[in-house]
Amino acid sequence: MTAPVLSRAPRTAVPATPHRPRRPARWVIGATVTVVVVLAFWSVDITWARLADLPSELVRYGWLMFSSPTWEKLPDALWQTWQSVQMAWVGTVLGILIATPLSLIAARGFGHAWLRAVLRFVFSTIRAVPEIIFAIIILSMTGLTPLTGALALAINGVGTLGKWGYEAVEAVPPGPIEAARAAGGSPVQVLRWGVWPQATPVFLSFWLYRFEINVRSSAVLGLIGVGGIGDMLTTYTQYREWSTVGMLLIVVIAVTMAIDGISGRIRRRIMEGARVR
């Protein structure tokens, strides 16, 4: 008798190790960025040896400003700070009134494609320009007044609030919107009943956050003479009255931190609701 022939299992082919993909575009971009950074450092006229003196100079000026602040100027500093807050508030309100309806139109599904493109381009262009540039342009019409700062903050706020607004509208769940449209609602009614109830907490949070930004920016706008605490900082820095400058910085930091803290708590309450004890 012949021995049975044992069948051998077929050998499975071992897959070849895939080659690492080549990404020449990534190398080109990395090399380009490196060259640009090196050229930027090389072309800037900076005395690098003076960087070693920076820590000691910071300590010296810190001592001049905060060792004995001039508290006699505190009433004037508080009044100018109040003007800065007013400037920020007016700029925020004007920005909200302009940006909110435009952001609703710029949202996908509520405006024509060409109109959305135009509005989004305008929002991007405004965001690319600092507030101080708008203030310098407005100076020729309104002069060195707090209104100039408020208008500059309002224009700049339109860019950020507009972008935040249409992104918030587009992030709304589609269920209520579809229900409003199925019921025969007009675009305005869909926005009123399908979008706004859900987007209101986000909009309120954005408005408060923009007010925080405007409070800080109003101090910077004061540097060009439109009033507020920044105007006092510029004046006393030019005369090198460091003790007064230190007192002004203390006021600015304290007021800004207080507004940020209050606004932050309000925003958390809006977004998260009341905490159950």
Side-chain angles (χ1 to χ4, degrees), residues 180-241:
R181 285 174 175 166
S186 64
V188 176
Q189 292 173 329
V190 172
L191 286 171
R192 170 63 184 88
W193 301 108
V195 174
W196 190 248
Q198 302 178 86
T200 299
V202 180
F203 271 85
L204 293 176
S205 179
F206 287 158
W207 295 346
L208 288 171
Y209 184 56
R210 183 63 206 184
F211 175 63
E212 296 176 22
I213 296 174
N214 285 348
V215 170
R216 291 187 289 269
S217 299
S218 63
V220 178
L221 290 177
L223 299 177
I224 63 174
V226 297
I229 193 66
D231 198 357
M232 287 188 69
L233 277 170
T234 303
T235 302
Y236 286 104
T237 301
Q238 290 175 347
Y239 287 104
R240 298 182 179 274
E241 296 187 18

Side-chain angles (χ1 to χ4, degrees), residues 22-266:
R22 296 180 179 180
R23 297 183 176 91
R26 179 179 297 180
W27 289 100
V28 172
I29 294 174
T32 304
V33 172
T34 302
V35 171
V36 170
V37 171
V38 171
L39 291 177
F41 276 98
W42 186 269
S43 60
V44 174
D45 187 14
I46 297 177
T47 306
W48 297 101
R50 297 190 62 182
L51 288 177
D53 300 331
L54 183 59
S56 60
E57 290 295 314
L58 289 175
V59 172
R60 184 170 73 90
Y61 281 104
W63 175 259
L64 291 174
M65 288 188 293
F66 301 114
S67 60
S68 57
T70 306
W71 297 108
E72 291 80 5
K73 302 289 185 179
L74 181 59
D76 292 338
L78 293 176
W79 171 248
Q80 294 297 331
T81 302
W82 174 243
Q83 282 196 333
S84 296
V85 174
Q86 288 179 315
M87 189 189 310
W89 177 255
V90 173
T92 304
V93 173
L94 291 177
I96 290 171
L97 294 177
I98 298 172
T100 301
L102 295 180
S103 65
L104 297 177
I105 299 173
R108 190 177 294 107
F110 295 97
H112 295 288
W114 66 269
L115 184 56
R116 294 200 309 268
V118 170
L119 289 175
R120 295 188 182 197
F121 176 77
V122 171
F123 295 154
S124 300
T125 303
I126 291 174
R127 290 197 308 274
V129 181
E131 297 95 340
I132 196 167
I133 302 299
F134 287 121
I136 293 173
I137 297 173
I138 299 172
L139 276 176
S140 59
M141 296 176 286
T142 57
L144 292 172
T145 63
L147 178 61
T148 301
L151 292 177
L153 293 174
I155 295 174
N156 191 265
V158 169
T160 54
L161 291 174
K163 176 180 172 58
W164 293 341
Y166 72 72
E167 289 181 348
V169 172
E170 292 177 352
V172 167
I177 299 176
E178 295 174 356
R181 285 174 175 166
S186 64
V188 176
Q189 292 173 329
V190 172
L191 286 171
R192 170 63 184 88
W193 301 108
V195 174
W196 190 248
Q198 302 178 86
T200 299
V202 180
F203 271 85
L204 293 176
S205 179
F206 287 158
W207 295 346
L208 288 171
Y209 184 56
R210 183 63 206 184
F211 175 63
E212 296 176 22
I213 296 174
N214 285 348
V215 170
R216 291 187 289 269
S217 299
S218 63
V220 178
L221 290 177
L223 299 177
I224 63 174
V226 297
I229 193 66
D231 198 357
M232 287 188 69
L233 277 170
T234 303
T235 302
Y236 286 104
T237 301
Q238 290 175 347
Y239 287 104
R240 298 182 179 274
E241 296 187 18
W242 301 116
S243 58
T244 305
V245 172
M247 182 271 301
L248 294 175
L249 289 177
I250 292 173
V251 172
V252 170
I253 293 172
V255 172
T256 303
M257 291 180 63
I259 292 176
D260 287 352
I262 296 171
S263 178
R265 294 192 65 175
I266 295 174

